[in-house]
């Protein structure tokens, strides 16, 4: 659907290259299917395989009809004027045309990126990640109940994180225990890297910078967060957010690329393209807000800083710039998408994180040491030493260059993105942000990859003195070797040993056994510390997100900042004590799943517990009445 949306928006205009259409169509497809499901939810239409196919087909046909009407209108216009295209088409005609050597280099970088990630994911592709298990529960719930989940009042989940998996599950009939969920995340991760490539190309209009950016974001630290480790860990929101965020920034950069300059001399086609780009930017932004709250939170700060800083830096021309913005913003396509998005957001399907309790947990003074900000040492571990160093260098250089090009919207966009994320990660108190600093710090890897590429290109790529060519080439080789060794060694250190899937197989086998022999009147308690892939157990029962009960990590019960219930701990650790017996009675728990190597002796010595299932990794005990 995303491809046909672009076809309806731009036709076959050269304003978009084929690579851009390829990358953008995936992101727009995700958002389009999201809004299709939201519309079904508002209209009380069941989300079935047939209705999903029908909805996508109707959307595609509508876009194709618009495309045909557009083609007819453009042919009529050309026949009258004899002139086709726009200034943007002429300027960008060769932007994505690469020489043979550059194309080989790009393909080599993509191959290395894919190769390194695949080596890691080959050992972690099994459906055992805790986060992925939680998300796939809601995706399977969507498939089984044919409607969007209400998340049982939990603010930690957003519907956009599950719809892509639910749609694939509905259309394909594949099991959520197969490899398709992490494979989708892997595809989105790779597309996110290509989004950085096209964004860099459009902003700097320099092939070498875009290739270097792809190298820094792809080959270097290809496993560490938010790369393959987030894919294997099922960190769905961050992976999707790191794809949709650069796409949204891409559309905003294209919409306002000619502010204060070329827009004054632009044709009607250029102005029309700016309006369409802004419409798609708003559409993608709403999709982002329906997909991941942390990424949307970061986007708000970046966009606010960008808007204010741009007007301040161009204060003398602010009146003219605002007039140009007005011509773009107050147009039918932009207002239609914006108003439609607001109606969806507040009246049809409001994300469950938009409530006072969820906002209060994200805003305010840091409540834990892990939310007080990252040090430079932490940042080095988070995004890599090479990217941190060259990223800071690139930031300083771009700030220096921007002084002479204050009207360049794209330059300030990259600066705003990097500066805001850097400050959010290191000084959250400045913004009254109470969120995990390391999760925010992971977002710095993308803009710092772009700035690293820009800094290196500015130092080495612009040197033309023939007498220094050999010296410059040698220095460039040393710099790239330093970055490559650091980035690849980090990936090598992150490679896992051969995984033993026996524990996971036993977890699934025991869950199948217990789900077939219990009903909703029974209550199950399992352990999260020593059972492999335990978060996936709930998918065998499908009796509620919090079913079965779970004994969490031991450290959580000692958290003084957030007192926890103690029943799940006591019922496994000390089942014979009076407090545990009271908990069994209050919760109605009559089955317990534990790892016999760590938690079996305390049940065997009690007469009111019978072992009904036994394997090397799982023991199930039934509590007698």
């Amino acid at each position: 659907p995303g491809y046909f949306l672009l076809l309806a928006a731009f036709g076959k205009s050269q304003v978009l290259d084929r690579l851009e259409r390829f990358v953008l169509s995936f992101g727009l497809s995700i958002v389009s299917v999201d809004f299709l499901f939201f519309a079904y939810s508002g209209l009380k239409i069941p989300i079935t395989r047939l209705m999903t196919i029908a909805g996508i087909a109707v959307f595609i046909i509508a876009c194709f009809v618009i495309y045909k009407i557009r083609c007819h209108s453009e042919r009529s216009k050309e026949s009258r004027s004899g002139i086709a295209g726009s200034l943007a088409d002429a300027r960008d005609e060769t932007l994505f045309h690469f020489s043979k050597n550059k194309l080989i280099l790009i393909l080599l970088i993509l191959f290395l990126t894919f190769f390194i990630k695949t080596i890691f994911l080959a050992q972690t592709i099994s459906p055992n990640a805790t986060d992925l298990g939680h998300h796939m529960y809601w995706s399977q719930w969507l498939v089984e109940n044919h409607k969007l989940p209400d998340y049982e009042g939990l603010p930690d989940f957003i519907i956009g994180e599950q719809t892509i998996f639910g749609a694939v599950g509905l259309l394909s009939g594949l099991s959520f225990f197969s490899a398709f969920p992490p494979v989708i995340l892997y595809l989105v991760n790779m597309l996110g890297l290509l989004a950085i490539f096209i964004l860099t190309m459009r902003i700097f209009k320099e092939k070498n910078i875009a290739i270097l950016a792809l190298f820094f974001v792809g080959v270097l630290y290809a496993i560490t967060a938010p790369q393959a480790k987030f894919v294997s860990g099922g960190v769905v929101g961050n992976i999707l957010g790191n794809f949709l965020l650069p796409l949204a920034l891409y559309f905003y950069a294209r919409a306002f690329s000619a502010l204060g300059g070329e827009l004054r001399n632009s044709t009607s086609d250029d102005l029309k393209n700016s309006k369409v780009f802004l419409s798609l930017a708003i559409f993608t932004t709403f999709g982002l807000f329906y997909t991941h709250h942390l990424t949307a939170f970061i986007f708000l700060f970046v966009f606010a800083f960008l808007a204010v800083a741009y007007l301040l830096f161009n204060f003398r021309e602010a009146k003219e710039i605002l007039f140009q913005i007005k011509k773009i913003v107050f147009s039918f396509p932009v207002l239609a998408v914006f108003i439609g998005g607001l109606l969806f957001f507040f009246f049809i399907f409001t994300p469950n994180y938009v409530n006072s309790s969820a906002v209060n947990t994200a805003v305010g003074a840091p409540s834990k040491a892990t939310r007080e900000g990252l040090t430079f040492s932490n940042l080095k571990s988070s995004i890599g030493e090479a990217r941190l160093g060259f990223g800071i260098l690139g930031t300083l250089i771009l700030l220096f260059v921007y002084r002479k090009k204050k009207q360049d919207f794209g330059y300030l966009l990259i600066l705003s993105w990097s500066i805001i994320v850097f400050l959010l990660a290191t000084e959250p108190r400045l913004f009254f942000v109470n969120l995990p600093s390391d999760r925010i710090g992971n977002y710095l890897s993308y803009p710092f990859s772009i700035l690293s590429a820009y800094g290196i290109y500015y130092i080495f790529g612009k040197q033309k003195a023939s007498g220094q060519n050999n010296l410059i080439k040698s220095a460039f080789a040393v710099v790239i070797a330093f970055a490559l060794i650091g980035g690849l060694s980090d990936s090598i250190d992150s490679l896992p040993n051969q995984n033993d899937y026996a524990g996971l197989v036993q977890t699934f086998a025991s869950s199948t056994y217990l789900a077939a022999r219990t009903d909703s009147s029974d209550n199950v308690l399992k352990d999260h510390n020593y059972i492999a892939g335990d978060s996936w157990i709930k998918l065998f029962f499908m009796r509620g997100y919090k079913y079965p009960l779970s004994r969490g990590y031991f450290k959580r019960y000692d958290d003084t900042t957030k007192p926890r219930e103690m029943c799940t701990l006591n019922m496994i650790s000390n089942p014979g004590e009076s407090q545990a017996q009271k908990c069994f009675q209050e919760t109605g728990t009559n089955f317990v799943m534990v790892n016999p190597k760590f938690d079996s002796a305390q049940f065997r010595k009690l007469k009111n517990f019978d072992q009904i299932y036994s394997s090397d990794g799982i023991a199930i005990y039934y509590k007698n009445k």
Side-chain angles (χ1 to χ4, degrees):
Y3 174 81
F4 282 90
L5 179 59
L6 288 175
L7 205 60
F10 297 108
K12 291 186 177 180
S13 167
Q14 299 301 311
V15 72
L16 290 178
D17 184 77
R18 285 177 294 180
L19 176 62
E20 292 176 295
R21 288 181 185 270
F22 173 78
V23 177
L24 298 174
S25 66
F26 275 94
L28 293 175
S29 293
I30 293 172
V31 178
S32 299
V33 173
D34 283 352
F35 279 98
L36 172 66
F37 281 11
F38 302 156
Y40 281 170
S41 178
L43 297 173
K44 308 299 182 185
I45 298 175
I47 303 174
T48 62
R49 177 184 295 179
L50 178 62
M51 291 308 301
T52 301
I53 295 173
I56 293 174
V58 169
F59 182 87
I60 288 175
I61 292 171
C63 289
F64 188 72
V65 169
I66 294 173
Y67 162 69
K68 283 296 185 181
I69 295 173
R70 181 188 182 90
C71 288
H72 177 74
S73 174
E74 289 176 352
R75 280 195 297 268
S76 300
K77 179 181 176 182
E78 289 173 19
S79 64
R80 289 194 304 269
S81 63
I83 300 173
S86 66
L87 292 177
D89 291 345
R91 286 193 305 268
D92 301 332
E93 187 176 353
T94 62
L95 185 60
F96 283 85
H97 292 181
F98 300 97
S99 66
K100 181 179 179 181
N101 289 337
K102 282 187 172 62
L103 183 59
I104 291 174
L105 182 58
I106 292 170
L107 293 176
L108 178 61
I109 290 173
L110 290 174
F111 171 77
L112 286 174
T113 302
F114 185 81
F115 181 73
I116 296 168
K117 291 175 183 286
T118 302
I119 290 176
F120 174 80
L121 293 172
Q123 301 300 324
T124 59
I125 199 67
S126 59
N128 62 356
T130 297
D131 283 356
L132 193 61
H134 295 323
H135 286 291
M136 290 309 102
Y137 171 82
W138 295 117
S139 297
Q140 184 163 311
W141 193 96
L142 186 157
V143 171
E144 292 184 359
N145 293 275
H146 306 299
K147 61 181 179 179
L148 301 181
D150 59 7
Y151 297 112
E152 302 175 10
L154 298 171
D156 297 329
F157 293 96
I158 311 173
I159 188 59
E161 295 176 296
Q162 283 84 49
T163 49
I164 181 174
F165 302 98
V168 174
L170 279 168
L171 296 174
S172 67
L174 290 171
S175 167
F176 287 95
F177 291 96
S178 68
F180 97 77
V183 166
I184 287 179
L185 286 180
Y186 190 14
L187 172 63
V188 172
N189 178 230
M190 293 294 295
L191 289 168
L193 306 186
L194 291 176
I196 294 297
F197 181 77
I198 64 173
L199 174 64
T200 306
M201 184 74 83
R202 282 295 174 182
I203 288 177
F204 295 105
K205 297 189 179 350
E206 172 54 55
K207 298 178 176 64
N208 291 326
I209 298 178
I211 293 172
L212 279 170
L214 187 62
F215 171 75
F216 270 94
V217 78
V219 176
L220 303 189
Y221 313 100
I223 292 176
T224 54
Q227 302 292 340
K229 274 193 176 179
F230 272 14
V231 174
S232 66
V235 189
V236 175
N238 283 83
I239 292 292
L240 290 170
N242 272 314
F243 177 38
L244 294 180
L245 178 59
L247 285 192
L249 296 179
Y250 169 89
F251 285 126
Y252 284 111
R254 296 297 305 271
F256 298 123
S257 61
L259 281 181
E262 297 171 359
L263 200 61
R264 284 173 290 190
N265 303 315
S266 62
T267 65
S268 59
D269 284 336
D270 289 315
L271 182 60
K272 186 191 216 177
N273 287 336
S274 292
K275 294 174 182 177
V276 175
F277 276 122
L278 184 57
S279 302
L280 293 174
I282 295 171
F283 181 67
T284 308
T285 301
F286 274 110
L288 177 63
F289 274 76
Y290 274 108
T291 300
H292 194 227
H293 43 24
L294 178 55
T295 314
F297 193 70
I298 290 172
F299 170 83
L300 285 176
F301 279 105
V302 172
F303 192 81
F305 180 85
L306 172 64
V308 173
Y310 190 80
L311 291 176
L312 288 177
F313 281 125
N314 297 278
F315 183 75
R316 293 181 179 179
E317 298 83 17
K319 185 176 181 180
E320 181 182 355
I321 290 172
L322 287 173
F323 177 73
Q324 294 174 4
I325 292 175
K326 181 181 176 182
K327 287 197 298 184
I328 299 173
V329 172
F330 289 95
S331 58
F332 175 76
V334 175
L335 292 178
V337 173
F338 183 70
I339 294 172
L342 288 179
L343 291 175
F344 254 97
F345 198 86
F346 290 107
F347 299 105
I348 297 179
F349 198 89
T350 302
N352 54 329
Y353 66 84
V354 183
N355 59 67
S356 57
S357 61
V359 172
N360 289 335
T361 61
V363 178
S367 59
K368 297 180 181 180
T370 55
R371 304 183 177 197
E372 293 179 352
L374 302 178
T375 64
F376 271 87
S377 179
N378 298 141
L379 283 175
K380 185 176 71 172
S381 301
S382 177
I383 68 172
E385 185 176 11
R387 279 199 301 224
L388 178 61
F390 292 126
I392 293 174
L393 175 65
T395 303
L396 296 176
I397 293 175
L398 190 56
L399 280 170
F400 174 78
V401 172
Y402 184 71
R403 292 189 312 158
K404 302 177 182 179
K405 301 182 67 174
K406 293 181 180 179
Q407 291 186 351
D408 196 307
F409 185 83
Y411 281 19
L412 188 59
L413 184 148
I414 296 298
L415 286 170
S416 301
W417 188 10
S418 59
I419 290 172
I420 287 299
V421 177
F422 181 85
L423 291 175
L424 283 171
T426 57
E427 298 293 338
R429 290 184 181 86
L430 295 176
F431 304 90
F432 300 100
V433 171
N434 183 24
L435 293 168
S437 298
D438 59 339
R439 294 296 289 271
I440 297 176
N442 290 326
Y443 283 89
L444 198 58
S445 62
Y446 281 27
F448 261 39
S449 293
I450 298 175
L451 288 167
S452 297
Y454 179 78
I456 290 177
Y457 174 78
Y458 189 88
I459 292 174
F460 296 104
K462 292 194 171 185
Q463 305 301 323
K464 298 180 179 179
S466 59
Q468 297 180 357
N469 273 347
N470 291 333
L471 179 62
I472 291 169
K473 290 179 180 178
S474 299
F476 177 75
V478 170
V479 168
I480 294 299
F482 161 74
L484 188 62
I485 291 171
L488 292 182
S489 63
D490 182 270
S491 296
I492 292 171
D493 292 339
S494 302
L495 290 175
N497 296 322
Q498 187 73 25
N499 279 354
D500 180 12
Y501 297 112
L504 185 64
V505 171
Q506 292 177 38
T507 299
F508 291 173
S510 60
S511 301
T512 303
Y513 170 87
L514 193 57
R517 289 162 176 79
T518 59
D519 54 37
S520 57
S521 64
D522 297 302
N523 209 354
V524 180
L525 170 65
K526 51 93 174 171
D527 176 51
H528 182 57
N529 292 277
Y530 304 120
I531 295 180
D534 71 291
S535 67
W536 291 79
I537 293 176
K538 61 168 65 74
L539 275 76
F540 288 91
F541 294 96
M542 296 303 294
R543 298 172 189 168
Y545 176 77
K546 295 182 179 180
Y547 189 102
L549 297 173
S550 179
R551 180 179 73 173
Y553 288 126
F554 298 122
K555 62 181 180 182
R556 294 192 173 184
Y557 296 100
D558 297 326
D559 189 350
T560 57
T561 64
K562 188 178 181 181
R564 306 265 181 172
E565 54 78 27
M566 302 300 292
C567 276
T568 51
L569 174 67
N570 294 331
M571 283 190 289
I572 291 180
S573 301
N574 302 292
E577 292 187 352
S578 58
Q579 188 62 40
Q581 291 297 318
K582 181 181 178 182
C583 289
F584 275 110
Q585 185 176 4
E586 291 176 351
T587 61
T589 299
N590 55 344
F591 291 94
V592 181
M593 299 178 67
V594 294
N595 188 320
K597 298 176 183 177
F598 302 95
D599 295 290
S600 192
Q602 65 265 41
F603 292 100
R604 287 179 179 174
K605 65 183 181 181
L606 297 176
K607 293 183 179 180
N608 59 335
F609 283 94
D610 295 324
Q611 186 171 0
I612 62 170
Y613 186 94
S614 177
S615 68
D616 292 338
I618 297 290
I620 300 178
Y621 291 91
Y622 171 69
K623 186 179 182 300
N624 298 319
K625 295 182 180 180

